[in-house]
Amino acid sequence: MNIKIKRDELVEYNVSELKGATLLETLNYIKTKIDPTLTYSSGCRSSVCGSCAVRVNEKEVLACSYKVQEGDVIEPLKNVEVIRDLVVNMDKAYEFNAKSKAWINKSASTPDVTQENEKLNEVQSDCILCASCYSACPVYAVNPEFKGPFSLTRVYKYVSDVRDSDAKEKIDVIQTNGIWDCTLCNECTMVCPQDISSKADIEKLRMKSTQYGYMDPNFGSFDGGLDFL
């Protein structure tokens, strides 16, 4: 079985000795048996830490859970700086969390945390920060400052959290390079290993924004095409 790994160029490796192995096991084999210079990230080996996210055949996966197949082409995540081979710099993705104020900044004095409202952001709390959604997002091709699914899902998590008493501040900061720039293509949802739908979260944030008086700027510039002469 042969696979190719994107380094400075595509490099082919024969891993015929491995059958039914995960991609992470295969990378470990290559590094210890064939090419010690191969560089990649890994951590928990249990699909929990998200550090081994890569692209296989142009789709984001976790190397520790993906089973290698003949002819696979492995590449680093997109939309991030490649440090070496499959290792990427995640700083810019994390910076968008800061720009989006994706945290609880003003706690309600007496929050009424019920089992029902705990479930409002239960799924979003499962994010493992693998950045697969960030890599899959096509918007970065035209807007590198897009806050993106990675951060907007976290914003929804805190906007829906009853312990935060100032959701509007977060809604304010995601109006620019934020929720209205998303194309709702759903690419982010399809690659999330935790089944989090950032698209659905962005749609909820759009609804929340209208409650605060915001509207889709694309509608604001639409002239309707109804010219009556």
Side-chain angles (χ1 to χ4, degrees):
M1 178 169 64
N2 294 312
I3 64 171
K4 293 180 180 178
I5 299 177
K6 180 71 164 52
R7 307 185 71 182
D8 290 336
E9 57 185 15
L10 279 177
V11 179
E12 186 170 274
Y13 295 96
N14 184 295
V15 291
S16 298
E17 293 185 26
L18 301 179
K19 292 184 180 179
T22 66
L23 176 55
L24 181 56
E25 291 169 338
T26 303
L27 295 174
N28 290 338
Y29 174 84
I30 293 171
K31 189 171 183 67
T32 56
K33 303 291 185 181
I34 302 175
D35 186 348
T37 68
L38 179 64
T39 307
Y40 52 94
S41 297
S42 68
C44 70
R45 297 177 294 177
S46 303
S47 304
V48 174
C49 74
S51 62
C52 64
V54 295
R55 301 178 78 230
V56 177
N57 305 328
E58 300 184 348
K59 181 179 179 182
E60 287 71 14
V61 301
L62 295 181
C64 65
S65 60
Y66 177 81
K67 299 287 187 180
V68 174
Q69 300 178 40
E70 169 70 32
D72 279 345
V73 177
I74 295 93
E75 301 174 283
L77 295 179
K78 289 196 307 182
N79 302 322
V80 284
E81 175 195 4
V82 176
I83 298 175
R84 180 172 176 173
D85 297 342
L86 303 178
V87 179
V88 297
N89 184 348
M90 294 287 292
D91 287 353
K92 185 165 185 179
Y94 296 146
E95 285 174 7
F96 286 128
N97 285 340
K99 290 180 179 178
S100 302
K101 299 184 182 296
W103 59 75
I104 293 178
N105 56 348
K106 291 184 180 178
S107 297
S109 56
T110 55
D112 182 18
V113 183
T114 65
Q115 287 187 341
E116 182 176 339
N117 56 39
E118 277 183 358
K119 294 184 182 302
L120 290 174
N121 52 29
E122 186 178 34
V123 174
Q124 290 75 16
S125 299
D126 290 339
C127 176
I128 58 174
L129 306 176
C130 68
S132 291
C133 60
Y134 185 91
S135 173
C137 179
V139 175
Y140 291 106
V142 294
N143 182 4
E145 294 306 312
F146 178 45
K147 293 184 173 71
F150 184 84
S151 295
L152 294 175
T153 275
R154 294 181 72 80
V155 170
Y156 175 74
K157 171 185 173 181
Y158 293 112
V159 164
S160 61
D161 194 319
V162 295
R163 294 172 299 173
D164 192 323
S165 63
D166 191 6
K168 185 177 183 304
E169 183 178 8
K170 294 178 179 56
I171 293 296
D172 289 344
V173 300
I174 59 173
Q175 300 305 307
T176 302
N177 295 321
I179 53 174
W180 308 111
D181 292 68
C182 175
T183 63
L184 304 180
C185 68
N186 209 35
E187 293 288 338
C188 52
T189 302
M190 291 190 288
V191 299
C192 178
Q194 299 297 91
D195 295 325
I196 299 170
S197 176
S198 292
K199 174 194 172 188
D201 294 337
I202 291 169
E203 289 177 316
K204 293 171 188 172
L205 288 171
R206 287 184 176 186
M207 293 177 63
K208 194 75 174 177
S209 295
T210 61
Q211 295 173 10
Y212 286 108
Y214 289 106
M215 63 178 293
D216 186 341
N218 298 310
F219 288 165
S221 60
F222 178 57
D223 64 8
L226 301 174
D227 295 329
F228 296 98
L229 301 177

